[in-house]
Amino acid sequence: MKRFLAKITVIVIIFLLGSCNAVKRVSEDELLLTKNTLIENGKPIKDINMEGLYYQYPNSNLLGFPLGLHIYNTAKPKSDSIYLARLDTVLKQHTFAEQLLSKKQLVEWTKTKIGFQNWLRKTGEAPVIISDLQTKKSADKLTAYLNSLGYFNATVDYEISALEKKEKRGKVDYFINRGNAYYIDSLSNEIASHDVDSIFKRFKRNTFIKEGDRYDLNNFQKERDRLTFTLRNSGIYNFQQNSIEYEILRDTVAEHQDFKMPVKLIINNYTQRSGDSLIVSDYKVHTIKKVNIYADYSFSDNYYELDSIVYNGYTIYFSKKLRYSPKTLTNVIAARAGSIYRDIDRTNTYRQISNLNTFKYPNIEYAYVENDSTNTQLVNNIYLTPQKRFTAVFDVDVSHSNIQDFGISFMGSVISRNIFRGAETLEISGRSTFGSQKSAAENDRFFNISEIGADVKLSFPRIFFPLNTDKWITKNMIPTTVFSVGTSVQQNIGLDKRTLDGALIYNWHPTTLKKLSLELIDIQFIRNVNIDNFFNVYQTTYSRLNDIAQDYNLDNSYLNDNGNLNIPYGADNFIADVLSNQLSVTSNDREDIRSINERKERLTDNNLIVASNLTYTINSRRGLLDNQFYQFRTKFELAGNLLSLFANSANLEQTDNDKNLLFGVQYSQYAKAEFDYIKYFEVSRDKVLAFRGFLGMAVPFGNSTSIPFSRSYFAGGSNDNRGWQAYSLGPGSSGSVNDFNEANLKLAFNLEYRFPIAGSVKGALFADAGNIWNVFDNVEDEDATFSGISSIADIALASGIGLRYDFGFFVFRLDTGFKAYDPALSYDRRWLTNVNFKDAVLNIGINYPF
């Protein structure tokens, strides 16, 4: 962390010293590239695909300032040889020992200076000098791209020009003349193999190449990929993509003025090399003769000493004892004896075996059956190497937060695999945190707060359910079942909660892009042990109550030595006496006290939540470098319905307001829905515009008049509206009157523009909008409730800037948010009132916020 902050400090200093000459490393006969422009029909155009084809790009900049270039220019040229020469001279003079540094210190100091200069060069960007050769290559590449789109007569010329009034700087203009596009006139085919021809005709309707379409090389490549995928998954085991050719029958398309091209598809026979000669043979449909599973394979095994069993058409080989149930092994193998060869079976088998979390990455091979005259039968061999049955993980973390001045956490887990011979995984984990807090307890112990917890999770690589679900959730959907239970105990932290959690979860993937997660049972029990500590924890709520109390002449039984309400008895008795009319206060104060008491009861009451929820996710991202993807997640949850169904027949105990109690706790009942959408737009080669929209609402009914704190929404924080601290925004325009503000309706939008600055340092400009409200619950404050379209005026807006440092395996994030529109202020002061660094919010996070 110190190294990161030091590097950021250096970059900021260089930024402030912006008078540095950007062209100091540019020779007199060279030009620094400042801009590339595409020009067509005399006008500049924008085309992200064509702009990504240049061989040279201008140096990156931050708000027009080439920070990376200035960092690079700060480094001394040939610094390594200069510093080493100086070191050699000083060492030969033998004067260093009598002065400030020893020989060893002098050597280390020289290494530090060399390392710093190298860091400047590595972090910065060398000046991009316009190269005529690279520019010509860019023009040729642009021409080839236009050819690929059917503009076979296209030309791209270029012009390099120096900028007026700017020393040693230049630009490149690319002049595009597309010419006429060529279109596909007619399609024909010539397929050598009878089997391939039959498959081709069966799936011909899915072709990407159609008569009348403009020629597009990308569609031809898509068609090659489609044909290859189709044939390899229709029995053609050894199909090679280079067997596919396309022939444009006219020799020179430029000679014909109708700009139409007859296209012929050619699929040749299989060609393989044998010694110095080539052997050509027909492609044929292959079938799987036999499937062999080696359950505990290692390179040292002797196959002749292995035992074997046949189960459900599969032959399972093992050494000494089969440690897995045959059904578990065969259930994850996609190929079956007697079926045709399919490439996708190999992929599904890899995924399904990985889902077992019991074996290392498997080796899947196909071989021809010996003495098969047709040469079309295959043996599928799957080699499984077990992971270690037991794995232990241990971790230590040091932290600081608003809850603890200093904390140290110990976390450990033990994983046991294949505990019931069905590739089940049992994970037992524990965690303990010991911390120091000045106000936690009146004793001299340094570690005076603690939290201890434990979790047990049992995972099954299948749907564990009384009814057979194989018709709806097939094995290639990677189904899993998870049973989990956990507990935690806090001491001297807040209200000293005791929690007990349990869940039964089903996960499966209908497609590679889609995921479904069904929590059939989600149980959470929260018991607050130290409720007398409420007003110590929620200081803002206490201040509201104490301010009211100061307006009345209370006797000393309510007050402490400082004249404030005593905690807890004075505050509790003041509330009780006001609400029971033993103390007379104004109607407004009585309403405020009633609201405070309602919040206190809700946050100190024990919670029992028995819920079920379904989460559906679509994610089109193809990898970490994919910057043009979307993700959609929706979640629906119901709580308390099952308990209410049996409440009357069970004759449950009830509260004074006719709410059911189970084990002395009023269980929660609500319905909840969430919609979350993320979309990335690739603006250019290294710039991304990211958008996120979120809508969530939880509605209490039946046995509840409010939502449990743990299932409510909050606004603000490093991953939400970054102009406000977490829990400090809303509800509505109420002005965050509580320490932890939450509600049951949330609307949020985020827009972020991400760009490079220098090396691993990235930048961002962002705008965050949103708020939380109460709706359909027991909150009556008009400022905090959602009342229709008019409440849209309560949406808060923040804007800001961010710095990110990419460590490769994670990104450290530093965002500064400013309140652009604050709904808590009066209407005439909401816009741009607190846009200054004094009121800015500094957010620290790991990885991107969305």
Side-chain angles (χ1 to χ4, degrees), residues 253-276:
V253 294
E255 294 178 357
H256 299 269
Q257 299 305 313
D258 57 1
F259 305 109
K260 294 181 179 180
M261 305 184 309
V263 174
K264 184 178 183 180
L265 165 67
I266 300 173
I267 303 181
N268 297 309
N269 276 327
Y270 176 55
T271 303
Q272 62 181 136
R273 181 171 294 277
S274 178
D276 296 331

Side-chain angles (χ1 to χ4, degrees), residues 342-355:
R342 300 195 314 163
D343 237 12
I344 197 172
D345 288 342
R346 185 201 300 259
T347 302
N348 287 335
T349 301
Y350 277 129
R351 294 175 61 223
Q352 289 159 197
I353 292 175
S354 297
N355 185 52

